[in-house]
Amino acid sequence: MAIATNAADPLPSWNDRAAKQAILAFIARVTTAGSPDFLPQAERIAVFDNDGCLWPENPMPFQAAFAIDELKRRILVEPSLASDPMVQAALAGDLGKLLKGDHFDGLMQILALTHTGMTTDEFRDAVEAWLASAKHPRYGRPYDELTYRPMQELLSYLRAHDFKNFIVSGGGVDFMRVWVERVYGIPPEQVVGSTAQTTFELRDSGPVLTKTLDYLFVNDNAGKPVGIHQFIGRRPIICCGNSDGDHAMLQYTTINNPRPSFALIVHHTDAEREYAYDAITKSTGKLVAALQEAPTRGWVVVDMKQDWKAIFETD
C-alpha cells in the first residue's frame, strides 16, 4: 500500500496550510546540498507512532481487536475461559477495565491467552489470517486498508529524500512486523514495539522460537526514547505521534537536539470522517500534555479535519 510521491505535489492529500508548508520546508532544509542545516543520509532518521498516527485506534487499537477475535476462537474449544472476568471484559469491549492498574493487568492477561505459548510462525499465521478476514466495525473494510493517506504520502516523501522511517509504537513488535513492509513500505527490522522474551528450541522439524510474556518491555511513554536508544541507536530528527504516549518521544527528538529537528502531532478532530477526541477518549490516544506543550516547542499540530483532504488510503 506504500504510495509513490508526486513530483508536482508530494503531499496531494494535504491542504495547503501551515502544517504542510512546515513539513516541506523542514525536509528541504535538511536535504538540500549547501543548506546550513543539511544532514547526511545516515542522520535522516524519522520515527512514527502507529496507532492513531498511521492508522486509527478507535473504537479500540487494532491489536486489541485481534486479541478479542482470537479469544472468541479459543472459547469455542476452551469454553471454560468464558468464566474469567477479564475475558468477559474483553468480549464486552470494556477496554477501560483491561487498562486499569499500573501494569494493565487485565490486558496482560488477555495477551497471555492470545499472544503466548505459540511459535512465532504460528502467531504470524494467526495475524495474517485475521487481517485477511476481519473488518473494522465502522468502516466495513479490512483493517490494513485503513491507513491514513496523508501519512502514507509523508512516509513516501521522506523515503524519496533518503530518510529511514521507523515505527516506534506501544503495539507488539511481533504483531506489527507481520504486515508493516507490505502496508507502509517499512521493513520489519525498522519496527520498535513492545517486546517480551522469546525462547529458542531445536525440534525435529527444525529451529523454533516460542513467544512468552517474560521480561515484558512496554514501548510507551518514557519507554519510547529508551526503545529508540536500544534498537535504533540514533536520535531522530523527525518525530510523528498523536497522543501523550508519544510525549516523551517528541521531547527526546526536539529538546536540545544538536541537529535540526521537527515534531508533528496528529490531532483527531474529524468526527464525520474518522473520530474526534483528545482529553476524553473511549479508546487509547489521550492527548493533553503534548498538545499543551506544542506551541512552546514549535511542534506542528495537524488538524485532521482542516489539514487533510482525504483520510484513508482507499478514499
Side-chain angles (χ1 to χ4, degrees):
M1 290 185 190
I3 61 178
T5 58
N6 184 327
D9 184 354
L11 303 176
S13 297
W14 295 71
N15 286 314
D16 191 19
R17 289 165 43 89
K20 178 177 181 177
Q21 294 165 7
I23 293 167
L24 295 175
F26 179 80
I27 295 172
R29 277 176 56 202
V30 298
T31 62
T32 301
S35 165
D37 291 325
F38 176 81
L39 292 175
Q41 181 176 341
E43 296 179 10
R44 299 178 195 174
I45 302 295
V47 294
F48 291 79
D49 176 49
N50 183 51
D51 296 315
C53 182
L54 296 178
W55 69 7
E57 57 190 342
N58 274 273
M60 64 176 62
F62 291 0
Q63 187 173 356
F66 162 73
I68 290 172
D69 284 348
E70 282 294 289
L71 272 182
K72 293 175 181 176
R73 185 183 63 82
R74 286 278 300 276
I75 283 175
L76 294 176
V77 294
E78 298 178 64
S80 61
L81 290 175
S83 63
D84 187 309
M86 289 302 112
V87 171
Q88 294 171 8
L91 294 177
D94 188 352
L95 196 62
K97 187 170 184 178
L98 298 180
L99 295 177
K100 285 182 179 179
D102 293 339
H103 302 291
F104 306 146
D105 294 341
L107 181 59
M108 291 302 105
Q109 186 172 334
I110 299 306
L111 293 181
L113 287 171
T114 59
H115 285 54
T116 67
M118 65 188 75
T119 69
T120 52
D121 288 343
E122 290 168 341
F123 183 75
R124 179 200 63 218
D125 291 345
V127 174
E128 287 180 339
W130 180 77
L131 288 172
S133 62
K135 300 289 193 298
H136 191 277
R138 174 177 174 181
Y139 299 107
R141 285 186 252 172
Y143 286 87
D144 54 3
E145 289 184 6
L146 295 174
T147 63
Y148 298 140
R149 183 173 182 84
M151 298 304 287
Q152 286 274 24
E153 291 170 357
L154 178 55
L155 288 170
S156 296
Y157 191 54
L158 289 170
R159 208 161 33 239
H161 284 75
D162 297 321
F163 274 81
K164 185 176 282 190
N165 297 323
F166 288 82
I167 291 177
V168 180
S169 172
V173 70
D174 288 337
F175 177 78
M176 292 185 287
R177 283 177 175 167
V178 174
W179 46 264
V180 289
E181 191 160 30
R182 171 176 57 82
V183 172
Y184 297 135
I186 296 175
E189 64 268 23
Q190 289 169 213
V191 177
V192 180
S194 296
T195 58
Q197 180 174 300
T198 303
T199 62
F200 173 81
E201 180 184 358
L202 184 60
R203 299 179 182 174
D204 292 342
S205 59
V208 169
L209 295 173
T210 301
K211 291 174 59 63
T212 78
L213 270 187
D214 297 337
Y215 303 103
L216 180 66
F217 168 66
V218 178
N219 188 55
D220 198 30
N221 295 302
K224 289 198 172 187
V226 174
I228 290 169
H229 171 72
Q230 289 181 338
F231 299 107
I232 300 177
R234 287 185 184 271
R235 197 168 178 180
I237 64 164
I238 291 180
C239 174
C240 300
N242 73 290
S243 74
D244 286 350
D246 305 311
H247 194 184
M249 181 167 70
L250 293 160
Q251 293 172 323
Y252 179 62
T253 299
T254 59
I255 299 175
N256 295 334
N257 192 332
R259 300 168 182 82
S261 60
F262 179 89
L264 180 151
I265 297 173
V266 175
H267 189 191
H268 292 259
T269 58
D270 198 329
E272 183 177 345
R273 296 185 297 175
E274 203 245 9
Y275 299 92
Y277 59 93
D278 42 43
I280 300 175
T281 173
K282 294 181 180 179
S283 179
T284 53
K286 183 177 181 180
L287 176 64
V288 177
L291 190 62
Q292 292 174 344
E293 191 172 334
T296 63
R297 299 293 183 191
W299 299 341
V300 172
V301 177
V302 173
D303 183 323
M304 185 181 283
K305 186 173 183 178
Q306 300 296 324
D307 285 314
W308 288 359
K309 295 177 184 178
I311 301 292
F312 295 115
E313 177 65 10
T314 51
D315 287 348

